[in-house]
Amino acid sequence: NMLTMSFEFPSLNSFLEFVVSCIVAVLCGIIIGLERESKGKPAGLRTLVLISLGSCIYVHISILLAASFGDPGRVAAQIVTGIGFLGAGAILQKSESGYIAGLTTAASIWVTAAIGMIVGGRHYIFGLTAVIIVVICLRTLRLLEGFLFFGNSMDIKKIAFESNFGKTKWVLIGLMEDHLIHPGEYHFRDDGVGRSVLEIKYVQKNRNHRAFLADAAVLPEILEIA
């Protein structure tokens, strides 16, 4: 038996629709990814762009296969299940500290996949509108959360430490990353008497802040916490 292969070239309109969908999906991923990247989150620009683009392509696969075999929702429906593995990977179980981190990042992955799917269905206005709503939520709800739950309880903690040729600074930065403290919440300076100082925005009700201070306090290079 001779193996025969046939190639079916898409129409110009369907090809252009695919290209436009991919471009819009990438744009949506970039917008959400830049917001997450600015917060130093593990699921940043490249990750969310690929999630949005991949979801868009899978929807197109569903539409193409349905033209020959039937239900276009069978492939697309598996995106919802499959994206859960990426979301689970973003959730870090802090068993020793007794809390779970990364839920917002996992939710961002989940909603980015949904946006990629709707763009893949060629509903571009809906997709772009959803992106705007997502970014507004990520930007404003954090401020609202701080106003409602933290109020005016923020304080500036000053941690004086021995530089140890710059090594202590990187130990402290690593600790802050472990406790999900954003770079915008702290800065380093010299106190003018030969000591280095970390100034950090501290909220008593914030579990991450309390855990960081507890871990930093036991470092031998720490001279004072005021």
Side-chain angles (χ1 to χ4, degrees), residues 194-214:
R195 301 189 307 180
S196 298
V197 176
L198 165 64
E199 292 188 353
I200 180 171
K201 297 177 182 178
Y202 175 75
V203 177
Q204 175 65 31
K205 295 181 180 180
N206 191 316
R207 189 182 314 195
N208 291 356
H209 292 183
R210 298 197 308 269
F212 165 71
L213 284 185

Side-chain angles (χ1 to χ4, degrees), residues 4 7 10 15 19 32 47 49 52 56 59-60 73 77 80 83 97 115 121 124 135 138:
T4 60
F7 297 92
F15 178 73
V19 172
I32 300 177
T47 301
V49 165
S52 179
C56 173
V59 170
H60 271 279
V80 180
I83 205 67
S97 303
I115 291 171
Y124 307 129
V135 172
L138 289 171

Side-chain angles (χ1 to χ4, degrees), residues 103-125:
L103 289 174
T104 302
T105 298
S108 300
I109 290 173
W110 181 60
V111 75
T112 302
I115 291 171
M117 291 176 68
I118 200 169
V119 170
R122 298 188 292 274
H123 300 292
Y124 307 129
I125 300 300

